[in-house]
Amino acid sequence: MKDLIKKAAEDLKNAKYAIALTGAGISTESGVPDFRGPSGIWTKDPEAETRAYQSYGKFLEDPKAYWEDRLRGPSLLGDLEKVEPNPGHYALVDLEKMGILKCVITQNVDGLHERAGSRNLIEYHGSYLKLRCSQCGSRFGIKEIDLEKLRREEKLPPLCKCEGVIKLDVVHFREPIPVDAARKSQEEAWRCDLMLICGTSAVVYPFAQLPRLARKHTVEKETETESGLFLVKQVPATTIIEVNAGPTPLTEEGISDYLIQGKTGEILPEIVQEAKAL
Ligand code: APR
């Protein structure tokens, strides 16, 4: 493990454009449950996952009922106001401050990367702390609209200035990824020469396509044969590193170059420490 942490630090230092992709696993050490880990939300309650697949249809069909559901109780993730970023989130902020990490693309909707201080952040599945107009795509902080007041006055759903219906910014199953997040994420996945994938089972698409896109990216490299001839061959443009509690399809399919197995909250700070010593 120590060798791999050292290797990851060297790979990061040598990278010209490193990005990080994160999933729910990076937030479990903050007390936010993941979905498919041993005590994940879907693992413990498969029915909850089935219901989650109906959310977007419900919004399209009856936005007022969608909002009444939402305002009834706390999110599946618990009270996000009570949780704090953990050393894993802060390690990615350190790498950004060191000029190594250029972007974080997260599937998480808990807002913890933003609160930790990540600047160039793409919330691929949106955020529980934001609202978004389903027509013009404008985003608002969750506290910018008094939803409880609208509920009491029977004025749900909230409407945008463009008269579009406002929903949670969270991207529900079957809901298209907002175009701005989708396009920028693809650009980053294609542009990067190092992808650090932290705490995701990498089974949900289209996010899980991003490492596969990066894997497809090759560059020409000149090599000299023993007889002194120069050969030009295509080599992978991107080093893909996983930090995860266990192997994922990316590991099994050889999409990632190596997996550092363990807790992001412990491994990522060690990688930063090694990188600072180089
Ligand atoms: N350190 C490292 N890995 C961890 C940690 C930790 N502290 N805690 C959990 N993990 C691992 C789990 O073992 C699992 O492999 O992180 C991964 C989390 O996977 P999921 O629970 O599937 O979460 P994620 O990949 O983010 O899910 C993707 O699915 O339900 C949808 O929209 C939801 O964004 C979510 C998407």
Side-chain angles (χ1 to χ4, degrees):
M1 160 95 90
K2 277 273 174 237
D3 295 352
L4 285 178
I5 285 176
K6 212 166 168 51
K7 177 170 170 43
E10 285 156 5
D11 287 343
L12 278 158
K13 277 294 263 191
N14 296 331
K16 293 185 182 59
Y17 199 92
I19 69 171
L21 271 58
T22 71
I26 200 170
S27 292
T28 54
E29 291 163 82
S30 293
V32 181
D34 66 6
F35 297 94
R36 299 173 187 83
S39 47
I41 299 170
W42 304 150
T43 311
K44 290 199 303 195
D45 180 2
E47 271 305 298
E49 184 171 18
T50 311
R51 287 195 299 277
Y53 270 87
Q54 288 148 18
S55 295
Y56 188 53
K58 177 149 213 172
F59 169 74
L60 296 174
E61 187 192 302
D62 185 348
K64 183 170 182 289
Y66 164 90
W67 272 111
E68 280 160 352
D69 270 358
R70 254 134 212 84
L71 295 174
R72 212 162 275 139
S75 80
L76 276 173
L77 299 176
D79 184 351
L80 292 173
E81 311 242 321
K82 292 206 175 81
V83 294
E84 295 297 327
N86 68 61
H89 296 104
Y90 289 116
L92 296 185
V93 175
D94 286 345
L95 288 173
E96 192 175 3
K97 285 179 177 162
M98 291 163 74
I100 293 175
L101 201 61
K102 309 297 183 193
C103 178
V104 174
I105 308 174
T106 188
Q107 299 171 92
N108 301 342
V109 296
D110 55 30
L112 288 176
H113 282 297
E114 193 168 28
R115 281 178 50 200
S118 285
R119 288 281 158 270
N120 195 359
L121 174 66
I122 302 171
E123 292 177 312
Y124 197 78
H125 289 159
S127 168
Y128 255 121
L129 308 176
K130 293 173 190 156
L131 302 168
R132 175 166 37 93
C133 172
S134 57
Q135 184 159 282
C136 69
S138 301
R139 289 187 179 86
F140 313 84
I142 191 98
K143 296 202 182 335
E144 283 183 55
I145 298 175
D146 187 342
L147 296 160
E148 269 307 321
K149 185 166 180 288
L150 290 178
R151 189 180 62 77
R152 283 195 309 274
E153 296 171 357
E154 285 285 312
K155 288 183 180 165
L156 288 173
L159 297 178
C160 176
K161 284 195 296 298
C162 77
E163 288 167 24
V165 180
I166 293 173
K167 65 179 287 290
L168 270 176
D169 181 40
V170 172
V171 178
H172 298 296
F173 286 120
R174 297 200 178 109
E175 179 182 355
I177 303 294
V179 172
D180 54 351
R183 191 180 51 241
K184 190 160 180 332
S185 300
Q186 272 200 339
E187 286 164 6
E188 296 292 337
W190 189 254
R191 176 176 180 186
C192 71
D193 62 350
L194 188 145
M195 187 180 269
L196 181 63
I197 304 176
C198 314
T200 180
S201 59
V203 295
V204 172
Y205 286 78
F207 184 89
Q209 198 55 37
L210 295 170
R212 290 166 170 78
L213 174 67
R215 183 78 294 150
K216 280 200 176 67
H217 190 186
T218 59
V219 287
E220 287 190 350
K221 189 171 177 219
E222 272 189 18
T223 49
E224 191 174 348
T225 63
E226 273 131 42
S227 51
L229 284 177
F230 273 100
L231 273 183
V232 175
K233 60 180 186 176
Q234 292 294 332
V235 296
T238 314
T239 300
I240 301 180
I241 305 169
E242 282 186 279
V243 179
N244 204 59
T248 73
L250 301 177
T251 330
E252 281 133 22
E253 294 165 33
I255 301 285
S256 54
D257 292 286
Y258 54 97
L259 162 70
I260 308 178
Q261 187 156 339
K263 291 186 166 188
T264 48
E266 292 167 5
I267 293 167
L268 294 175
E270 284 187 46
I271 292 175
V272 170
Q273 210 175 347
E274 286 291 340
K276 284 181 175 169
L278 291 174

